């Protein structure tokens, strides 16, 4: 595996002076701000330099390259696989109600023979990530895992873009299948948030839209707890996610041991409801969460340690880091500390790329089911032997 990485800006648009390496299995990961990714000239510059490459990626709420976290940049990471084959597929998704069907269709479109792992990059505003993952899991063999994330648009929540081997556009989901016995993939996902306040039952919801908690308007209750922060919804909701315990799940000792985290994508004042990145099932229970700086950073390091386990103590060559926009808003000037914590675990030899997202897709660790997460650092490590 050979990897090169370049970082561009509006005043330094994509350009490639050296001749492109001719590689049969060349994957280019492109992560950037909505404005830069929306400029079709940038995609065409990459395509011109790498005419045979598979180009995928998405818009972000911040770009990760090395241990740097930047805004308003375009990070282009060129990965030349020596022994690993690639297969690509994409779907257009107009409405979140189509998410399960989209995931199933994408999974079934990938040839099953020697498929090892699937990367997914999805629209971040028009997809129910829970249903998308459920569809993909149903269409894939049990030993094939999925990692990736939902595209972002900073803290604006207006428009997200996915690069699906063509000019980036909204309402798309792209997947890349990795094939062959020479590729090893590890993954890990951890959070670091503390629950507080009472646990409340979801008494009315539809898919990823939450209407009532304890038979009271959910938005009204949420605003009550947010206080002065409520004026900035939905963006300020990223600072106070919900720990979701599915119906039948044990609450554990602190109410969050067996839960997933959900953050708001949008609100409807007239209906008094909130739209989340994933399912909010009736009969489930939720509890507010707040940030703990040190635990957020420790969570990133913990995810890195988990991602190394399948590599059997060998060093990763490439690490894809997908963290949540809510973590970035909380950590602020300390945001690079979570990436530095990952570097301390993975070492200097791995090339880092990634982005801040509206949702992270991964199992917590090997052996767990793949799920949509919010407010986690999710890491996928790659080693080609």
């Amino acid at each position: 595996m050979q990897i090169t990485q370049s970082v561009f800006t509006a005043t330094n648009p994509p350009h490639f002076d050296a001749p492109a390496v001719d590689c049969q299995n060349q994957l280019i990961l492109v992560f950037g701000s909505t404005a830069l990714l929306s400029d079709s000239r940038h995609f065409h510059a990459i395509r011109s330099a790498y005419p045979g490459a598979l180009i995928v990626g998405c818009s972000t709420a911040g770009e990760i390259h090395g241990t740097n976290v930047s805004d308003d940049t375009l990070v282009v990471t060129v990965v030349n696989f020596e022994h690993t084959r690639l297969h690509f597929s994409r779907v257009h998704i107009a409405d979140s109600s189509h998410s399960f069907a989209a995931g199933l269709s994408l999974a079934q479109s990938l040839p099953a023979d020697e498929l090892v792992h699937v990367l997914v990059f999805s629209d971040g505003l028009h997809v129910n990530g829970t249903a998308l993952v459920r569809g993909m899991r149903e269409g894939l063999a049990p030993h094939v895992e999925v990692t990736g994330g939902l595209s972002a648009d900073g803290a604006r929540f207006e428009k997200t873009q996915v690069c699906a081997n063509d000019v980036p556009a909204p309402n798309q989901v792209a997947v890349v299948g990795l094939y062959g016995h020479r590729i090893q993939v590890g993954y890990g996902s951890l959070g670091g948030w503390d629950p507080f306040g009472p646990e409340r039952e979801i008494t009315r919801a539809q898919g990823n839209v939450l209407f009532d908690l304890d038979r009271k308007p959910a938005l009204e209750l949420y605003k009550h707890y947010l206080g002065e922060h409520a004026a900035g919804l939905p963006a300020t909701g990223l600072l106070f996610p919900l720990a979701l315990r599915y119906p039948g799940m044990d609450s554990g000792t602190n109410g969050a041991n067996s839960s997933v985290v959900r953050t708001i994508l949008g609100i409807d004042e007239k209906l008094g409801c909130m739209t989340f990145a994933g399912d909010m099932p009736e009969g489930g229970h939720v509890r507010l969460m707040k940030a703990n700086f040190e635990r957020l950073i420790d969570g990133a390091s913990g995810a890195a340690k988990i991602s190394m386990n399948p590599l059997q103590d060998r060093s990763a060559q490439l690490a894809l880091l997908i963290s949540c926009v809510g973590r970035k808003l909380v950590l602020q000037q300390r945001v690079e500390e979570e990436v530095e914590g990952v570097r301390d675990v993975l070492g200097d030899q791995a090339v880092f790329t990634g982005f801040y997202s509206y949702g992270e897709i991964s199992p917590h660790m090997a052996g767990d089911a793949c799920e949509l997460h919010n407010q986690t650092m999710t890491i996928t490590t790659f080693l080609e032997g």
Side-chain angles (χ1 to χ4, degrees):
M1 187 189 302
Q2 296 179 329
I3 307 168
T4 59
Q5 189 173 72
S6 304
V7 182
F8 304 104
T9 63
T11 57
N12 177 36
H15 60 280
F16 303 90
D17 298 327
V21 176
D22 184 18
C23 177
Q24 184 177 1
N25 295 295
Q26 190 171 63
L27 175 65
I28 301 182
L29 298 172
V30 180
F31 305 120
S33 66
T34 307
L36 288 175
L37 212 67
S38 297
D39 189 334
S40 62
R41 294 173 298 178
H42 298 155
F43 173 83
H44 290 307
I46 301 169
R47 172 58 75 208
S48 178
Y50 300 94
L54 174 57
I55 307 173
V56 297
C58 62
S59 60
T60 79
E63 300 82 57
I64 298 171
H65 47 99
T67 55
N68 298 307
V69 177
S70 58
D71 293 300
D72 301 318
T73 59
L74 193 68
V75 179
V76 179
T77 306
V78 181
V79 184
N80 296 316
F81 290 101
E82 298 178 48
H83 311 288
T84 303
R85 303 187 312 280
L86 306 173
H87 192 92
F88 164 79
S89 186
R90 67 179 176 186
V91 296
H92 181 271
I93 184 163
D95 185 85
S96 64
S97 63
H98 303 155
S99 298
F100 176 85
L104 182 61
S105 173
L106 286 166
Q108 293 176 338
S109 70
L110 296 173
D113 190 34
E114 295 193 336
L115 177 61
V116 172
H117 192 82
V118 178
L119 292 175
V120 56
F121 303 104
S122 170
D123 182 285
L125 294 174
H126 303 99
V127 170
N128 179 335
T130 305
L132 177 72
V133 170
R134 191 166 61 244
M136 294 191 69
R137 286 197 339 231
E138 182 162 320
L140 293 169
H143 70 277
V144 178
E145 280 301 351
V146 181
T147 58
L150 309 185
S151 55
D153 179 33
R156 293 176 293 272
F157 296 90
E158 294 174 357
K159 179 180 72 171
T160 64
Q161 304 267 326
V162 170
C163 180
N165 209 32
D166 204 340
V167 174
N171 299 94
Q172 294 192 116
V173 185
V175 296
V176 179
L178 281 67
Y179 292 78
H181 66 280
R182 302 288 290 272
I183 186 71
Q184 292 179 273
V185 183
Y187 40 83
S189 180
L190 286 176
W193 297 75
D194 290 334
F196 71 98
E199 191 176 63
R200 297 184 181 275
E201 183 181 359
I202 299 173
T203 49
R204 187 163 67 101
Q206 184 175 356
N208 60 335
V209 180
L210 173 63
F211 292 93
D212 292 347
L213 292 172
D214 289 345
R215 305 193 183 282
K216 298 177 181 178
L219 182 56
E220 181 180 312
L221 283 170
Y222 198 75
K223 284 183 174 182
H224 171 74
Y225 277 102
L226 262 60
E228 63 182 16
H229 295 285
L233 285 170
T236 52
L238 295 168
L239 306 176
F240 298 94
L242 296 179
L244 165 66
R245 181 166 61 88
Y246 280 93
M249 290 175 67
D250 184 4
S251 62
T253 58
N254 66 4
N257 285 349
S258 53
S259 62
V260 293
V261 182
R262 291 285 179 263
T263 51
I264 297 174
L265 293 180
I267 63 174
D268 189 318
E269 295 279 4
K270 185 177 180 180
L271 296 177
C273 64
M274 301 181 286
T275 300
F276 289 80
D279 273 352
M280 299 296 284
E282 291 184 359
H285 292 78
V286 297
R287 195 177 177 194
L288 274 165
M289 306 185 83
K290 60 184 177 181
N292 180 314
F293 284 85
E294 300 306 323
R295 285 194 61 213
L296 289 178
I297 295 168
D298 289 345
S301 300
K305 293 174 183 177
I306 294 170
S307 76
M308 289 297 292
N309 290 338
L311 305 189
Q312 301 175 340
D313 296 324
R314 299 177 65 191
S315 297
Q317 295 167 296
L318 175 67
L320 173 63
L321 281 60
I322 303 178
S323 188
C324 186
V325 57
R327 298 170 68 92
K328 183 167 179 276
L329 293 177
V330 169
L331 291 169
Q332 297 186 36
Q333 68 270 19
R334 296 182 61 184
V335 67
E336 291 183 347
E337 290 185 33
E338 71 167 356
V339 183
E340 291 164 357
V342 176
R343 174 65 77 192
D344 290 342
V345 174
L346 297 187
D348 295 331
Q349 71 292 325
V351 176
F352 283 14
T353 189
F355 64 99
Y356 283 81
S357 73
Y358 285 171
E360 306 82 59
I361 294 171
S362 175
H364 275 300
M365 62 181 67
D368 289 346
C370 180
E371 293 184 281
L372 172 79
H373 306 281
N374 292 123
Q375 306 291 14
T376 66
M377 167 66 86
T378 291
I379 301 169
T380 310
T381 50
F382 303 87
L383 170 65
E384 193 177 43

